[in-house]
Amino acid sequence: MKLLKSSSLALLVSLSATWLAPAVSQAASLLNVSYDVAREFYKDVNPAFAQDWKTRTGETVTIQQSHGGSSKQVRSVIDGLAADVVTMNQALDIDALANAGLIPADWSSRLPEHSAPTTSTILFIVRKGNPKGIKDWDDLVRSGVSVVIPNPKTAGNGRYSYLAAWGYALKKNGGDQGKAREFVQKLFANVPVLDTGGRGATTTFAQRAIGDVLLTFESEVTLMLREFGSDNLEVVVPSVSILAENPVVWVDKVVKRKGTEKLAKAYLEFLYTPAVQEIAVKHHLRPRDPALLAKHSDEFKPIPMFTIEEIAGSWSEAQKVHFSDGGLFDQIYERK
Amino acid sequence: MASVATSLHSRRETAYAAPRATQDPVWVRWLLTGVALAFLGLFLLLPLAAVFAEALRKGLGAYFASFNDPDAFSAIKLTLTAAAISVPANLVFGVAASWAIAKFSFRGKSLLITLIDLPFAVSPVISGLIYVLVFGAQGWFGPWLSDHDIKIIFAVPGIVLATIFVTFPFVARELIPLMQAQGTDEEYAAISLGASGWQTFWRVTLPNAKWGLFYGVILCNARAMGEFGAVSVVSGHIRGETNTMPLHIEILYNEYNFVAAFAVASLLAVLALVTLVLKSLVEWKHHQTNAE
């Protein structure tokens, strides 16, 4: 008994020593809290930044990553996860940080391009050969077409898909909100099941073979073709879609406390450099650099895109009008 | 008269030799055994085999390469750290609590028993969440902690706390019935012979409960290493820093990195199997000492 106790005590001491030691003599480090599917992208970006920082300043820097569902991640940061930078796929999540007082409300103007170094958009995926002949938004509201969209109240790409449809109808009808409402109502009448997350919707469509068309991010489309085979699925590029910006922000409260403000800013500015823009292309995110975008026009089909601001004023406005409880989405979507 | 006695005796013998349950038709016995074995194979052995098969799908080289990753290494280290802290903590607590409950009577005893069972009753997610609510930035002590630059949630202390919470009942739950069954006669004898309370505890109570204690510690350790839900809530999922083995497995799996995910899972399974073997050894040993 005594032996057991003393040996476990020794183990405890040595183990706690091993995890305490690096914390004391720690080199500069950044924690990047990000959404679920951005891991591959940042896995390539981080070593590139560490290299660049080393040659510029001679300092060694390590970048730690945390990934998960975007709302959960933001919640963790609000609850005290010490994120130096937060990188998301919609401004709404970053606004939550501003509401919690961690960053100023005008965060989007602190870096170029609304603080979004990369973008994406919403495209359609259909079954091979496009048996239902789906070409554009109007085909989605035809009767007999089954559309898979994740729940706009919980999933980022559901929100973008909904707003893209709303924007399309708004533009087509000269800004008539009543017509736009009718359009999204018809569209969601064609949605057989609302998945709560983007990956769930992908599974519903690709593996459970439910639906004729799936609406999702361009970056996810390419991944799907790779995972589930281009002999089963094909991409349809609509005539117009929505600009999905991937905003990034340094968390003022955290970087001030940790003394990493300069490093965090440098990291985010680095995302706009040609090197990272190339990495973005590799991971199917649209780069901001127009020349680079044109060079890869095979992959990134030029589509006219509208922004959230054009069709809904702002993200928080869109949230309030469309997705809050009792909002427009609740009114048009009837549970089956 | 004697013959009557023998026949009576022999009749009783046959009755002992073949109890009615085993007189069931052969097919019933085989069917029941078969069903039990099929369930065991389907729900226990098959998944376990699948873990190892998936892990070794790309050969031993790829299997061992999965462990040669600093993130995997740090996850293993963190899991062992959390277990190495929470198991001794619960050992001390469990022994103290069960000693008090089994050998003494006091006011609020049933309340204490209920409290010990609490972690079994609440969902692990809630277990994690309560620590976020208490120590998180928006929680009760959050502002004070952040002013003093003390990290609990989304750091190692939070993970250890959550692990201690969910493994809280194992040692005590194992010891209380055992100590209660043993009664207090030996303690009274020791005290009447002049032993102090402390001596009684070390020389009488603890040695008597030794095997039950080992058993509790082993179960506690198994749960501490395997805990997912509560730890997931307080972890923050920082790669190479606050990911335990179960969390690391989930991350690898989500990255379509199946070989590495199953490789780490197989290691966790091996740890569990070692624990089970230890458990059986303890049970066997316990049985022997009891038989003596």
Side-chain angles (χ1 to χ4, degrees):
Chain A
M1 195 63 239
K2 213 171 229 172
L3 185 78
L4 177 81
K5 239 189 104 199
S6 62
S7 67
S8 63
L9 194 70
L11 188 70
L12 188 153
V13 169
S14 65
L15 278 169
S16 47
T18 47
W19 65 256
L20 280 179
V24 178
S25 62
Q26 209 167 39
S29 79
L30 279 184
L31 173 59
N32 178 1
V33 171
S34 192
Y35 57 102
D36 219 358
V37 292
R39 31 187 123 214
E40 289 83 6
F41 174 58
Y42 286 106
K43 218 174 199 168
D44 283 355
V45 168
N46 293 346
F49 176 71
Q51 182 71 41
D52 179 75
W53 187 252
K54 179 109 188 158
T55 50
R56 270 196 291 163
T57 64
E59 289 171 46
T60 310
V61 57
T62 50
I63 293 137
Q64 295 172 315
Q65 286 293 144
S66 167
H67 293 284
S70 43
S71 304
K72 184 183 171 214
Q73 293 292 82
V74 166
R75 187 69 241 174
S76 295
V77 174
I78 293 171
D79 280 331
L81 180 59
D84 300 275
V85 299
V86 172
T87 53
M88 285 292 150
N89 63 4
Q90 51 180 314
L92 195 61
D93 290 319
I94 311 265
D95 281 337
L97 292 178
N99 292 339
L102 292 172
I103 56 171
D106 65 343
W107 59 268
S108 73
S109 57
R110 298 192 301 186
L111 286 166
E113 313 270 10
H114 310 110
S115 288
T118 61
T119 67
S120 193
T121 190
I122 294 288
L123 300 182
F124 306 166
I125 296 186
V126 295
R127 312 260 168 225
K128 190 70 189 175
N130 197 355
K132 294 275 169 107
I134 292 157
K135 301 236 161 50
D136 204 354
W137 292 99
D138 284 327
D139 298 316
L140 303 182
V141 298
R142 281 199 329 238
S143 66
V145 172
S146 166
V147 186
V148 177
I149 300 176
N151 191 345
K153 293 183 81 163
T154 56
N157 78 15
R159 250 172 242 152
Y160 273 118
S161 298
Y162 171 98
L163 289 171
W166 174 265
Y168 166 80
L170 211 57
K171 298 245 159 196
K172 190 184 166 198
N173 297 303
D176 185 336
Q177 299 231 352
K179 288 259 173 61
R181 182 189 163 125
E182 211 171 283
F183 184 82
V184 289
Q185 181 154 24
K186 266 167 125 182
L187 171 63
F188 277 87
N190 278 349
V191 177
V193 49
L194 279 184
D195 283 288
T196 49
R199 275 282 152 91
T202 303
T203 317
T204 298
F205 184 74
Q207 287 186 326
R208 290 171 56 201
I210 290 176
D212 302 308
V213 52
L214 169 76
L215 271 62
T216 193
F217 286 123
E218 187 171 51
S219 46
E220 189 77 359
V221 164
T222 324
L223 203 66
M224 268 185 82
L225 292 187
R226 205 177 64 207
E227 286 298 319
F228 298 104
S230 49
D231 43 349
N232 296 321
L233 305 169
E234 67 183 62
V235 184
V236 171
V237 179
S239 64
V240 57
S241 192
I242 194 162
L243 181 70
E245 294 181 317
N246 301 324
V248 298
V249 70
W250 67 85
V251 183
D252 299 69
K253 251 196 159 154
V254 174
V255 295
K256 288 221 171 75
R257 198 178 68 226
K258 287 171 72 177
T260 48
E261 191 162 5
K262 206 176 120 219
L263 187 63
K265 277 183 199 167
Y267 177 72
L268 295 183
E269 277 156 9
F270 184 69
L271 299 177
Y272 293 86
T273 59
V276 177
Q277 296 280 302
E278 287 279 359
I279 296 175
V281 170
K282 208 179 107 196
H283 293 279
H284 322 294
L285 295 166
R286 289 190 177 221
R288 282 295 194 176
D289 177 6
L292 193 60
L293 195 62
K295 194 174 125 195
H296 294 277
S297 60
D298 282 355
E299 184 179 348
F300 304 115
K301 299 277 186 313
I303 325 172
M305 286 190 249
F306 45 80
T307 63
I308 303 277
E309 285 75 16
E310 279 173 56
I311 57 156
S314 70
W315 257 116
S316 50
E317 191 89 357
Q319 171 71 15
K320 205 166 71 204
V321 173
H322 295 277
F323 309 124
S324 60
D325 281 334
L328 212 55
F329 178 73
D330 278 345
Q331 294 166 32
I332 62 123
Y333 187 73
E334 286 172 40
R335 283 174 202 284
K336 294 178 194 91
Chain B
M1 193 65 207
S3 71
V4 175
T6 5
S7 78
L8 253 181
H9 183 69
S10 67
R11 205 181 302 155
R12 198 176 296 148
E13 280 276 273
T14 40
Y16 273 132
R20 281 187 56 192
T22 52
Q23 284 171 346
D24 285 331
V26 177
W27 67 271
V28 171
R29 277 183 270 160
W30 278 103
L31 186 75
L32 286 176
T33 316
V35 166
L37 283 179
F39 262 78
L40 212 66
L42 200 62
F43 293 112
L44 285 174
L45 293 179
L46 201 66
L48 196 64
V51 166
F52 285 92
E54 280 292 321
L56 293 168
R57 209 177 45 176
K58 289 192 180 149
L60 272 177
Y63 179 77
F64 286 112
S66 324
F67 298 113
N68 198 15
D69 164 27
D71 291 342
F73 184 70
S74 112
I76 295 169
K77 200 168 81 176
L78 181 59
T79 294
L80 294 179
T81 309
I85 298 173
S86 52
V87 172
N90 279 331
L91 176 103
V92 172
F93 165 78
V95 169
S98 45
W99 190 43
I101 288 169
K103 309 285 179 181
F104 301 92
S105 60
F106 53 91
R107 205 187 272 262
K109 191 158 140 178
S110 53
L111 182 71
L112 182 60
I113 298 178
T114 311
L115 277 180
I116 290 172
D117 279 341
L118 188 70
F120 274 160
V122 294
S123 150
V125 178
I126 311 289
S127 315
L129 216 51
I130 51 176
Y131 287 106
V132 174
L133 293 178
V134 174
F135 298 114
Q138 312 289 310
W140 293 350
F141 303 123
W144 186 86
L145 288 169
S146 87
D147 286 348
H148 293 76
D149 209 20
I150 301 169
K151 272 202 255 175
I152 291 188
I153 294 303
F154 310 120
V156 178
I159 291 169
V160 172
L161 274 178
T163 309
I164 290 180
F165 184 84
V166 293
T167 57
F168 201 59
F170 285 91
V171 175
R173 265 285 138 209
E174 203 56 49
L175 283 182
I176 292 169
L178 180 71
M179 285 184 168
Q180 273 173 342
Q182 283 170 348
T184 48
D185 295 349
E186 291 189 34
E187 277 84 359
Y188 281 134
I191 288 169
S192 67
L193 288 171
S196 71
W198 198 235
Q199 278 173 323
T200 312
F201 174 72
W202 279 110
R203 304 227 176 128
V204 178
T205 309
L206 204 55
N208 274 344
K210 185 167 59 177
W211 297 115
L213 180 64
F214 274 140
Y215 189 57
V217 164
I218 287 164
L219 282 181
C220 179
N221 184 53
R223 180 66 192 270
M225 290 194 299
E227 177 54 28
F228 179 85
V231 168
S232 171
V233 176
V234 296
S235 143
H237 301 275
I238 308 170
R239 288 194 90 137
E241 199 170 305
T242 63
N243 269 332
T244 60
M245 279 167 81
L247 300 182
H248 190 62
I249 293 167
E250 190 208 17
I251 288 187
L252 291 170
Y253 189 79
N254 280 346
E255 285 174 358
Y256 303 114
N257 196 349
F258 299 126
V259 169
F262 283 105
V264 180
S266 74
L267 183 64
L268 203 56
V270 166
L271 286 175
L273 288 177
V274 168
T275 307
L276 272 181
V277 170
L278 275 177
K279 195 201 87 167
S280 316
L281 269 180
V282 166
E283 274 177 340
W284 177 72
K285 196 89 181 145
H286 181 46
H287 209 71
Q288 277 208 322
T289 41
N290 267 9
E292 270 166 21

